[in-house]
Amino acid sequence: NEFIDKKVMVIGLGSSGAEIAAKISEKSKITYLSVKNSNIVRPKHIFSKPVDMVNKRIFQYLPSLLSSFIQSLIFKLYC
């Protein structure tokens, strides 16, 4: 792999940039992200389940602001 033990910079954090950065970070020494605007990066899986599945089952009955607050706490603890 050409990225093993190298410093890598990924420019842009759209869906493809995020996927590329995640894969490269598994092999590279360090991975930097260069983005135009601030972004929130969240895991694809939490509690071994896809995040959208967890969101639908747990948060669908809560008010939006409360749901967002609880999700941010879970992500901070999990990540």
Side-chain angles (χ1 to χ4, degrees):
N1 189 330
E2 61 191 273
F3 301 109
I4 292 176
D5 294 328
K6 292 190 177 179
K7 295 180 182 178
V8 179
M9 178 179 283
V10 177
I11 299 173
L13 195 59
S15 54
S16 59
E19 290 289 330
I20 291 167
K23 287 293 182 188
I24 288 175
S25 69
E26 294 172 1
K27 302 286 183 180
S28 67
K29 182 176 183 178
I30 190 165
T31 303
Y32 296 99
L33 297 171
S34 175
V35 295
K36 190 174 190 178
N37 299 312
S38 62
N39 289 279
I40 297 172
V41 179
R42 294 186 172 164
K44 291 172 71 173
H45 295 87
I46 188 165
F47 309 124
S48 301
K49 304 249 185 248
V51 170
D52 58 339
M53 178 191 264
V54 174
N55 287 347
K56 284 181 185 176
R57 291 191 177 171
I58 296 175
F59 300 111
Q60 67 182 349
Y61 301 107
L62 298 176
S64 179
L65 287 174
L66 180 59
S67 175
S68 296
F69 175 73
I70 293 171
Q71 287 180 56
S72 66
L73 287 177
I74 289 171
F75 289 127
K76 285 179 185 177
L77 293 172
Y78 186 75
C79 297

